[in-house]
Amino acid sequence: MNFLSDTNPGEVLKQIRNNSPLIWNISNFVSMDIAANALLAFGASPAMAHAIEEAESFSNICKAINGALTINIGTFDKAWQECAIKVANEAKKAEIPWVLDPVGAGASEFRNQNASELLKLKPTVLRGNASEIISISGNEGGGKGVDSTSSSNEALDAAISIASQYKIVVAVTGEVDYVTDGSQTLSVHGGDIMMTKITATGCALTCLIGAGLTTNQETIISTANIMGIYSLAAEIACNNCEGPGSLKPKFLDSLYNVTPDYVNEKIKISRV
């Protein structure tokens, strides 16, 4: 397999640490802690704000200081749904880059509705597991609640179809991660299955992808680079922990300690 040599993940990491961008997250109750701490460890500045009354204010802040937005539907109720739609519209008007995480799409009609309505508002990146991406494409997702029962490879055609239809970048996580804009597709190698034993690690990745959108790299490249850095940090943490209980703090330490030179040396991204 031929790995790309010019994606420069170290540059994405450097820019985030130098600029400490504000990442505004409409997250969920389960993911707020690990997502905020992952952003801090990475060098970004998290804001967890989901009140509809703050939508315009935070949109103005993000626009003024080159921030980004992430929207995660994991524990939506009616109020969060209304807020997310308003926030996505504000982001669209202000041209703020944003990431949609359709947690559990396919598990209920309410989640499907949320994912569908937000997708119409053109996120910069859609990030999900294989079952979620397959479900959004209109096929059976095969998910078990919020967990995926499909492989990332099985979701690749669905990801390409969604990316082409909505003119966005779609990222699929799994044993191998894929990122596509519909015309080109990259695969990202690495990670460790033990990460599935900690809740909301995918949600945290979504927030870091948001941080990558504040850099000057092309969206598909910055997204692949962030996924590569995340997978590398996961490998380091899993090799140095005793189980899920010690993995979480080890993972945050890995995100904090990984260096631009090291990620440029170790990360493996190839063109599909």
Side-chain angles (χ1 to χ4, degrees):
M1 183 175 291
N2 293 321
F3 295 110
L4 301 178
S5 59
D6 58 350
T7 57
N8 201 357
E11 181 60 24
V12 126
L13 183 58
K14 230 186 282 187
Q15 287 188 38
I16 291 169
R17 288 178 174 172
N18 287 341
N19 299 330
S20 189
L22 175 68
I23 311 303
W24 174 24
N25 308 283
I26 309 297
S27 194
N28 68 60
F29 291 124
V30 179
S31 68
M32 285 184 187
D33 176 78
I34 190 170
N37 281 306
L39 282 165
L40 286 169
F42 211 61
S45 177
M48 292 357 212
H50 56 266
I52 196 167
E53 294 82 1
E54 295 182 310
E56 190 173 347
S57 297
F58 272 93
S59 291
N60 290 336
I61 293 170
C62 283
K63 182 178 181 179
I65 62 173
N66 188 36
L69 165 71
T70 75
I71 297 180
N72 177 314
I73 72 169
T75 54
F76 267 18
D77 57 18
K78 190 66 176 174
W80 277 28
Q81 179 190 48
E82 292 173 359
C83 178
I85 295 297
K86 179 175 176 58
V87 164
N89 274 302
E90 291 287 346
K92 187 177 180 181
K93 283 192 293 184
E95 298 183 338
I96 297 165
W98 67 286
V99 187
L100 172 61
D101 190 335
V103 176
S108 72
E109 186 52 42
F110 184 62
R111 288 177 192 263
N112 294 345
Q113 179 189 356
N114 288 325
S116 176
E117 290 182 0
L118 287 165
L119 190 57
K120 290 174 186 174
L121 296 174
K122 298 288 290 287
T124 313
V125 178
L126 170 69
R127 200 294 307 171
N129 65 37
S131 293
E132 291 160 351
I133 298 302
I134 292 170
S135 175
I136 287 173
S137 74
N139 296 314
E140 283 295 322
K144 185 179 66 176
V146 299
D147 297 323
S148 180
T149 55
S150 300
S151 71
S152 54
N153 188 59
E154 292 172 320
L156 188 51
D157 286 345
I160 293 170
S161 174
I162 295 168
S164 299
Q165 179 181 352
Y166 290 95
K167 303 294 188 290
I168 62 174
V169 167
V170 179
V172 189
T173 48
E175 186 175 352
V176 176
D177 297 334
Y178 293 100
V179 189
T180 181
D181 62 6
S183 60
Q184 61 176 325
T185 301
L186 304 178
S187 61
V188 186
H189 304 259
D192 194 294
I193 196 169
M194 193 187 292
M195 290 294 288
T196 62
K197 301 302 180 184
I198 303 177
T199 190
T201 53
C203 302
L205 171 58
T206 293
C207 296
L208 295 185
I209 289 172
L213 297 182
T214 67
T215 70
N216 62 14
Q217 289 192 335
E218 184 186 358
T219 298
I220 189 172
I221 298 296
S222 74
T223 301
N225 281 335
I226 292 293
M227 295 169 86
I229 296 170
Y230 193 88
S231 293
L232 182 60
E235 288 179 355
I236 295 168
C238 289
N239 287 336
N240 290 282
C241 75
E242 296 177 3
S246 57
L247 175 54
K248 183 177 176 180
K250 292 283 187 183
F251 177 60
L252 294 173
D253 287 347
S254 295
L255 287 175
Y256 179 80
N257 288 313
V258 74
T259 66
D261 287 343
Y262 189 71
V263 300
N264 278 340
E265 177 189 347
K266 295 292 185 181
I267 286 175
K268 298 176 179 178
I269 298 172
S270 59
R271 198 175 303 280
V272 176

